[in-house]
């Protein structure tokens, strides 16, 4: 079974540039999460979806960050105008809500973003 | 509001030694508790989790953790570490299956 895949693996930007991150969850998983992990910190939830619907985006900086999952499968996280403070690893995870282990999230390898 | 504290940012042990990584949580109700491991350039992997029942839970690769309600703790243990256990370990807490709060992590370095 293929795991969660993410691309790109690395991104380097100047402040003010835009960037998109892409996530392909485990096939059949209905719940998808995006986390931000600053250096030497734990992951912090930004947003999560059930199928194509946003369930909670309360931690997503809505003025510059957006996330979509239009068909309930792959997802894209976009930063419109990056700031140095956005430097972090962006992790995607997925889970299956109907599974007995619905709380077990499977993580991708992440995208490491550096904003200069 | 929930929170989790991992008081040790870095731990160094020799191969074959026993290990304990500490985790303290704060929650108004008995939460879900997790330990995850993150190897270099990889995503997080679940080691073990606790909801209820036996306070000692077994995980993968010989890891176990003990829940203590009185101490609000969920410490991770291993009887004998291997150099390949070197990684970052995250304790996490949740009151539902989906909104998980992670600690800052403990970097474990195992000396060969």
């Amino acid at each position: 079974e293929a795991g969660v895949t993410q691309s790109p693996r690395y991104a380097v930007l100047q402040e003010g540039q835009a960037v998109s991150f892409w996530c392909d969850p485990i096939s059949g998983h209905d719940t998808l999460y995006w986390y931000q992990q600053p250096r030497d910190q734990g992951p912090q939830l930004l947003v999560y979806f059930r199928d194509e619907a946003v369930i909670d985006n309360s931690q997503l900086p809505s003025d510059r960050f957006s996330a979509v999952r239009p068909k309930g499968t792959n997802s894209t996280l976009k930063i419109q105008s990056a700031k140095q403070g956005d430097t972090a690893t962006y992790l995607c995870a997925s889970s299956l809500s109907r599974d007995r282990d619905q709380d077990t999230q499977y993580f991708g390898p992440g995208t490491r973003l550096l904003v200069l | 509001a929930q929170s989790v504290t991992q008081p040790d940012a870095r731990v160094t042990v020799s191969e074959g030694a026993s290990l304990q990584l500490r985790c303290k949580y704060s929650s108004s109700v008995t939460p879900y508790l997790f330990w995850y491991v993150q190897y270099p350039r990889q995503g997080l992997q679940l080691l073990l989790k606790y909801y209820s029942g036996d306070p000692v839970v077994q995980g993968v690769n010989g890891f176990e953790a003990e829940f203590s309600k009185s101490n609000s703790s969920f410490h991770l243990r291993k009887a004998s570490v291997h150099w390949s256990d070197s990684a970052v370990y995250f304790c996490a807490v949740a009151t539902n299956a989906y909104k998980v709060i992670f600690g800052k992590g403990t970097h474990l370095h195992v000396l060969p």
Side-chain angles (χ1 to χ4, degrees), chain B residues 50-95:
Chain B
Y50 173 82
Y51 305 141
S52 63
D54 188 339
V56 178
V57 291
Q58 303 297 320
V60 298
N61 297 334
F63 286 94
E64 67 176 27
E66 183 167 5
F67 168 70
S68 171
K69 186 173 183 178
S70 60
N71 293 323
S72 297
S73 67
F74 189 56
H75 299 331
L76 182 71
R77 303 188 298 234
K78 187 171 184 179
S80 177
V81 295
H82 188 264
W83 65 267
S84 61
D85 292 324
S86 295
V88 184
Y89 291 78
F90 292 96
C91 183
V93 62
T95 53

Side-chain angles (χ1 to χ4, degrees), chain A residues 9-10 31 33 35 37 40-43 45 48 50 56 58 91 97 101-105 107-109, chain B residues 10 32 34 36 38 41-46 49 51 90 96-105 107:
Chain A
R9 293 298 306 273
Y10 303 92
T31 308
Y33 312 78
Y35 289 88
Q37 184 180 16
D40 292 330
Q41 300 281 325
L45 182 67
Y48 78 96
R50 177 74 38 73
D56 188 333
S58 59
L91 297 169
S97 66
D101 289 326
Q102 58 181 272
D103 50 79
T104 298
Q105 299 184 24
F107 284 80
Chain B
R10 298 186 183 279
Y32 297 66
F34 308 85
Y36 279 84
Q38 187 175 33
R41 295 173 296 281
Q42 296 186 30
L44 280 74
Q45 300 169 29
L46 181 67
K49 59 188 177 184
Y51 305 141
F90 292 96
N96 65 50
Y98 309 107
K99 290 194 73 172
V100 180
I101 309 297
F102 288 85
K104 292 186 176 183
H107 290 249

Side-chain angles (χ1 to χ4, degrees), chain A residues 10-73:
Chain A
Y10 303 92
V12 180
L13 306 175
Q14 299 291 331
E15 273 200 322
Q17 288 186 307
V19 64
S20 292
F21 309 131
W22 181 82
C23 174
D24 189 4
I26 291 174
S27 178
H29 279 193
D30 57 351
T31 308
L32 184 146
Y33 312 78
W34 282 104
Y35 289 88
Q36 182 190 61
Q37 184 180 16
R39 184 178 175 84
D40 292 330
Q41 300 281 325
Q44 299 158 17
L45 182 67
L46 292 173
V47 59
Y48 78 96
F49 297 83
R50 177 74 38 73
D51 299 318
E52 67 277 5
V54 173
I55 303 302
D56 188 333
N57 62 358
S58 59
Q59 302 304 310
L60 195 67
S62 58
D63 58 334
R64 297 185 300 108
F65 286 64
S66 62
V68 295
R69 195 186 184 200
K71 298 182 179 179
T73 52

